[in-house]
Amino acid sequence: MLLGNFLIGLREGLEAALVVSILIAYLVKTGNRRALLPVWTGIGAAVVLACGFGIALSAASSEMQFKTQELFGGVLSIVAVGLVTWMVFWMRKTARFMKAELEGRLEGALDVGPLALAAVAFLAVGREGLETALFLWTNISNSSGGSTQPITGAFLGLAVAVALGYLLYRGGLKINLRRFFTWTGAALIVVAAGVFGYGFHDLQEAEVFPGLHAVALEPHAFFAKFGGAGDWMQTVFQGVLNVTPQITWLQLIMWAAYLVPVMVLFLRNPSPSKPAPAKATEPAPTS
């Protein structure tokens, strides 16, 4: 789980860091430093909202009975995968236009006032924060109890993202963002496939779907053949693919049903955008 949550924290955190750096750089470049305070206020409020959302999910889940908790976790896992999948494809399509779009919104907000500036920053960062909080919560809640690796991986990913965002802002680092988001998007799809399958496993434990004891694969039994090294290999396998020690047939089918078509669509070369057809010129009226 450490590697999977590191990837989530890195990718989602870098998206938020890019948004912040674009907003701050635009205000500094245009001589509107006085507007930095409401922008930072909006960013801070978005971070607080994301943290509060994660805490609320944990508190609500802890008060539930076992079956209700599994139902809650399974549904949220599937919702989180849907949001992250949309985000991955959206970022792949619109990353090159993000700077111009954010600067346009900020320019309009400058004419309105401080509240509009705070709202632009809050909405831009808040969406990333809520998606990150939901996906990390589902990943951490599905991990083995008492393990700090998922939380450690998430914080490491976010810390690296903040450092990269600062270096990008200062101009001390050049990254091919298109390639970066392609590779991390593909890795995140693999992680999301595990969460998707795990969500259906939770729904089986909640008795929404049958087949909880119809086990298709037992990775822990396979890796046990390798002795002491098997524990490390199993940890890496489960951390990368985000799967359980015992994989039911429904979980395996849903894992493959998500991973294969989504990965094929994501790696397929995007079709070049066609220019808008020019309007036909009407003939001038004759006298």
Side-chain angles (χ1 to χ4, degrees), residues 75-260:
V75 171
L76 284 186
S77 294
I78 296 171
V79 171
V81 169
L83 289 174
V84 168
T85 304
W86 171 82
M87 176 273 301
V88 166
F89 280 90
W90 176 84
M91 196 66 184
R92 181 174 181 265
K93 180 180 179 182
T94 62
R96 53 182 174 172
F97 307 116
M98 185 171 64
K99 183 173 184 290
E101 181 181 351
L102 283 173
E103 289 182 350
R105 292 181 182 177
L106 203 58
E107 184 177 2
L110 280 169
D111 298 330
V112 178
L115 286 178
L117 290 169
V120 169
F122 176 80
L123 293 174
V125 178
R127 180 178 58 83
E128 302 290 344
L130 290 176
E131 288 178 359
T132 305
L134 178 58
F135 202 60
L136 286 177
W137 179 84
T138 57
N139 232 14
I140 292 171
S141 63
N142 289 335
S143 64
S144 56
S147 175
T148 59
Q149 287 190 2
I151 299 176
T152 303
F155 275 107
L156 286 175
L158 290 171
V160 172
V162 170
L164 290 177
Y166 177 77
L167 291 174
L168 286 170
Y169 170 75
R170 300 296 299 179
L173 182 66
K174 302 295 181 183
I175 294 180
N176 187 327
L177 292 177
R178 180 177 178 274
R179 184 173 299 175
F180 173 85
F181 284 119
T182 297
W183 282 101
T184 56
L188 202 55
I189 288 172
V190 175
V191 174
V195 175
F196 191 68
Y198 212 126
F200 280 90
H201 185 272
D202 283 347
L203 293 178
Q204 285 181 305
E205 291 188 328
E207 298 183 356
V208 175
F209 294 111
L212 179 60
H213 302 292
V215 178
L217 298 173
E218 292 185 301
H220 70 94
F222 172 77
F223 289 113
K225 301 176 183 178
F226 297 93
D231 293 336
W232 178 82
M233 295 169 66
Q234 180 182 347
T235 301
V236 173
F237 177 77
Q238 290 183 207
V240 172
L241 296 183
N242 211 6
V243 296
T244 54
Q246 286 189 332
I247 303 173
T248 66
W249 277 106
L250 177 63
Q251 184 179 353
L252 179 62
I253 291 170
M254 300 312 297
W255 178 83
Y258 171 87
L259 179 64
V260 175

Side-chain angles (χ1 to χ4, degrees), residues 1 30 37 43 48 73 89 158 184 196 231 239 265 275 281:
M1 293 291 184
T30 56
L37 180 59
I43 293 170
V48 170
F89 280 90
L158 290 171
T184 56
F196 191 68
D231 293 336
L265 288 173
T281 305

Side-chain angles (χ1 to χ4, degrees), residues 11-29:
R11 182 189 169 94
E12 298 288 306
L14 187 57
E15 286 186 26
L18 284 173
V19 169
V20 172
S21 64
I22 289 171
L23 295 177
I24 301 303
Y26 178 78
L27 292 176
V28 172
K29 182 178 65 176

